[in-house]
Amino acid sequence: MRVPLVDLVAQNAETGDDIRAAVDGVFANASYIGGSDVGAFEQEYAEATGAGYCVGVGNGTDALELALRAAGVTAGGEVVLPVNTFIATAEAVSRIGAVPVFADVDDEHLLLDPAAAAAAVTSRTQAVVPVHLFGQVAPVGALRAALGGSGIPIVEDGAQSQGAESADGRAGSLGLVASTSFYPGKNLGAAGDAGAVTTADPEIARTVRLIASHGSEKKYVHDVIGFNSRMDSLQAAVLRVKLRHLADWNRRRRVAASRYEALLSGVDGVRLPQSVPGNLDVWHLYVVRVADRDRVMARLNEAGIGASIHYPTPLHLTAAYGGHGLGAGAFPVAEAAAGQILSLPLYPHITADQQEFVAEELAEAVRP
Ligand SMILES: *Cc1c(COP(=O)(O)O)cnc(C)c1O
């Protein structure tokens, strides 16, 4: 038996016919940029997140850069973000010419620790970015409380949490503005690159749209220096079809997460992920922690199981961001977790047989 980390081919059995019809529709009127599917998707995704406004853009990294720029981040400013995230979160900051300031995470959920974030704030801080990692929702309410009356904008990175909910509200609707990615492997994935910015603030939405379309609202009238980051009509057409399945696919991810919990809760040496109380997670990744992780992962990989690591290196220890002067020991929680975390295969179409196989192999691998 083979169990990949994610199985996008399995989605096609459910969506293939509808996607082919949607793609035919785009070709029928040949409006590849700015076609009607883009506006329709933006409206449908705004409704799905409850954010009010959605702007479709080229990818999730652009989405975060645009969200930060619209929130007022400028060259030389500082942006606080968790040290254990996909590197794109920091790249979006760097691309503005601003400085990513890393903060540690909490040990239970590996989400940005509000107290650590508040401690990283300086007079130059222009935004704080909670990342809704692994399909969770970061504690935005607690973060806002920790930031006190500073008025520092909160910009969510929601690339891994389409459809996730917390007591504070839905991911993508909790900060001033939020970004998300529709990279194919995300919970809502395009057939290529795409992303979106969501916000309740019409001025923020307008600014994002302006910057993402060459600083122009009227053709050949350029108000600011922008760039090109558009969601194309084909991706929007594909995403409209898949958005109709998102709630069901997230439900199936939760069923699969519960099944892993039942299969693995008695296994010594495997620490299972815990949901933040009150949150409805969408399990983008199912991340356990084990000792001797590299050996355990190699064994699973040899058995045909696509276990992986998200992410092996906290950002301050990467070559890209190593120049910030922070060495090993700067972020003890994220550093300790990086040596233990192991992502098990989880996707809506995973079968009980596949999960039982993964659980058996994992139990074997961690046996002393
Ligand atoms: C995937 C991802 C991104 C980047 O999205 P792209 O569409 O690949 O640019 C940003 N942040 C996080 C947390 C992600 O997982």
Side-chain angles (χ1 to χ4, degrees), residues 27 103 110-111 133 154 159 186 195 224 251 284 286 303:
F27 275 88
L110 304 178
L111 295 167
L133 202 65
I154 294 175
K186 309 293 191 193
V224 297
R251 183 190 59 75
H284 176 62
Y286 191 87

Side-chain angles (χ1 to χ4, degrees), residues 58-117:
N59 59 67
T61 312
D62 285 0
L64 184 56
E65 177 183 348
L66 288 157
L68 290 166
R69 284 182 186 272
V73 174
T74 54
E78 292 179 356
V79 176
V80 177
L81 57 105
V83 74
N84 66 326
T85 176
F86 182 51
I87 196 164
T89 313
E91 286 172 331
V93 175
S94 300
R95 233 164 42 178
I96 299 171
V99 181
V101 174
F102 302 127
D104 213 343
V105 294
D106 76 283
D107 180 60
E108 193 63 52
H109 307 288
L110 304 178
L111 295 167
L112 179 63
D113 177 350

Side-chain angles (χ1 to χ4, degrees), residues 32 99 135 175 198 204 310 341 346:
Y32 303 117
V99 181
T198 53
I204 295 272
H310 300 86
I341 48 176
L346 190 148

